[in-house]
Amino acid sequence: MSGFLWKIDELISAMGGRAVGDVPKGVTGITIDSRSSGKGEAFFAIKGDTFDGHDFITAAMVSGAAVCVVAESKIPALGKFTAPLIVVDDVLAALERLALASRARTKAKIIAVTGSAGKTTTKEALRHCLLAVGKVHASAASFNNHWGVPLTMAKMPEDTQYGVFEVGMNHPGEIRNLIRFVQPHVAIVTIIAAAHLGFFKNLDEIADAKAEIFEGIVPGGAAILNRDDPRYRLLEHAAKKAGVVNILGFGESARAKFKLVKCELHAENSSVMARIDGKDIFVKVGAPGRHIVQNALAVLGAAQIVGADLSKAAAAMATLTAEKGRGQRHTLAVGSGTFTLIDESYNANPASMRAALALLSENAPVGKGRRIAVLGDMLELGRHSKRLHLELADPIRDAKADKVFLGGPEMKALAEELSVEFHAEHRQSADELARSLAAFVRAGDVVMVKSSNGIGFAKLVAHLITHFKPFKPAEAAA
């Protein structure tokens, strides 16, 4: 191996570009962020909705980039710029061509994940478990859109054994375009729910859009579908129509190929008996929550299909941890004791909100502590928004919440619905809510924070962590 991700001649050929200046023999990586350009990487000057990467070429070179990929139309504006360049017709289109070349050269088994909730968590669980058996390349963060998917594929090393890709959408046709870069051996659909419902008439339309993933599955590949989802049949039909022969279900259904036999949910993990293709195996899942258990079945099923050592993949589940904003737990000092903060602030839709509230119910307060639900607006629900927010009332009751804090204009109707029962407190912004919450919490509490990312509840979580400080047992013992 040369140590290069791409040799320069292969890079130029794949993109249909031309070299200008003293280009390197190869590049060690690819980036579109000038702030994180690593030494020897290629910086792609993509033009976004609010920025143009061509404005950050100098910063990219200072950060260590070896070459910049730029658009032909921008050459006059660059003037006497002397950095090594690869000039292409369109930078994003060139990245897409490179992604297709990367897919063509790899011998890796590829798994793609979509769904209305649980995509990133499932993708990370796949990454974690497959690392126990081989070399894995997976999407960073939630790189699941029109630039994130081709970027992830273009960055995949040639000797990768397992590739894991998250594929997202909020409009029809988006997955159809993205899946051509991925061409998975296995496609997982986690669940169909009211995410981005403002852009669709109903859940069937969302299912149809998610089903576009089947069009990219390679011949002989497999679709793994949630057998407990009411739209399983719709997805199954779409998979068959796309020519997929191997259609396998996961869940509690008796007909699931990857079946949940028994489950014990704990505050910080779960104990599971799963039946994977007829064989019962015990699995400890390190991250808590029934929704995590459900998607763990799909992970194990996918691992088996791509030929990974199932016993090693299952054993790795025990060390799975929740990601920031997706169930990550913090023990924070307050008064003479501590309280537990569950950070679910990354995103929210009705399905993931219910899952987070169920997770709250599984965490018992200590002493005089209380269960506190801190919920922010769910976005992109269109005309269904008020109804879907009001429908959270019963899940809040089922979670045995003692106190409810609500933030954002869409949550106001729910606050009025719950005001008598829970003395629900409503604020317009995360900043206002953070101050009220900080004054309210006490030792023994369990606080769960959940909202759509655009509401800014990550700042609320950061405020609590800064205000109360993480509890350190070693210091307390000293």
Side-chain angles (χ1 to χ4, degrees), residues 74-247:
K74 296 289 184 177
I75 292 297
L78 293 176
K80 297 181 180 180
F81 195 77
T82 58
L85 304 175
I86 298 175
V87 183
V88 297
D89 55 345
D90 177 272
V91 178
L92 180 57
L95 179 62
E96 292 176 343
R97 292 192 288 270
L98 186 62
L100 290 171
S102 180
R103 181 63 183 90
R105 75 176 182 173
T106 187
K107 292 181 174 61
K109 293 294 185 180
I110 307 294
I111 303 170
V113 183
T114 195
S116 301
K119 291 187 297 296
T120 303
T121 301
T122 302
K123 179 259 297 181
E124 287 301 320
L126 280 162
R127 182 211 299 267
H128 182 81
C129 292
L130 291 173
L131 274 171
V133 295
K135 183 172 182 179
V136 180
H137 177 73
S139 306
S142 292
F143 281 17
N144 62 19
N145 62 4
H146 66 288
W147 58 260
V149 172
L151 175 64
T152 302
M153 181 58 76
K155 293 174 68 171
M156 186 166 70
E158 190 172 2
D159 61 346
T160 297
Q161 293 172 279
Y162 303 101
V164 186
F165 292 78
E166 180 179 339
V167 184
M169 66 91 203
N170 55 23
H171 289 87
E174 289 183 67
I175 289 179
R176 178 171 293 116
N177 178 56
L178 295 176
I179 203 62
R180 65 192 175 96
F181 303 115
V182 183
Q183 302 169 47
H185 298 91
V186 179
I188 297 172
V189 182
T190 58
I191 193 171
I192 302 301
H196 313 299
L197 191 55
F199 304 118
F200 298 89
K201 290 180 181 177
N202 50 45
L203 291 179
D204 284 357
E205 282 198 355
I206 292 177
D208 289 339
K210 296 294 184 184
E212 292 171 13
I213 198 171
F214 306 138
E215 298 171 19
I217 296 176
V218 301
I224 299 180
L225 312 178
N226 189 334
R227 253 296 185 171
D228 304 329
D229 193 318
R231 283 159 185 82
Y232 172 84
R233 291 296 182 194
L234 189 157
L235 292 170
E236 181 186 43
H237 176 74
K240 288 179 179 178
K241 187 176 178 181
V244 182
V245 176
N246 302 314
I247 303 171

Side-chain angles (χ1 to χ4, degrees), residues 324-325 327-332 339-343 461 465 470:
K324 180 181 179 181
Q328 191 174 78
R329 300 168 66 90
H330 302 271
T331 302
L332 303 178
F339 73 95
T340 299
L341 172 63
I342 303 173
D343 176 13
V461 170
I465 293 171

Side-chain angles (χ1 to χ4, degrees), residues 373-405:
V374 186
L375 312 178
D377 286 355
M378 302 180 289
L379 302 179
E380 297 184 352
L381 297 178
R383 61 187 176 84
H384 307 277
S385 185
K386 182 176 181 179
R387 172 178 61 82
L388 292 170
H389 281 82
L390 285 172
E391 286 178 0
L392 294 176
D394 281 342
I396 289 170
R397 295 181 185 106
D398 293 342
K400 301 181 285 290
D402 297 296
K403 177 69 176 178
V404 181
F405 288 85

Side-chain angles (χ1 to χ4, degrees), residues 34 37 43-46 52-65 67-71 74-75 77-78 81-85 91:
S34 63
S37 296
F43 170 69
F44 280 63
I46 286 177
D52 187 338
H54 294 85
D55 296 333
F56 302 96
I57 290 175
T58 300
M61 298 304 294
V62 170
S63 295
V67 64
C68 296
V69 180
V70 302
K74 296 289 184 177
I75 292 297
L78 293 176
F81 195 77
T82 58
L85 304 175
V91 178

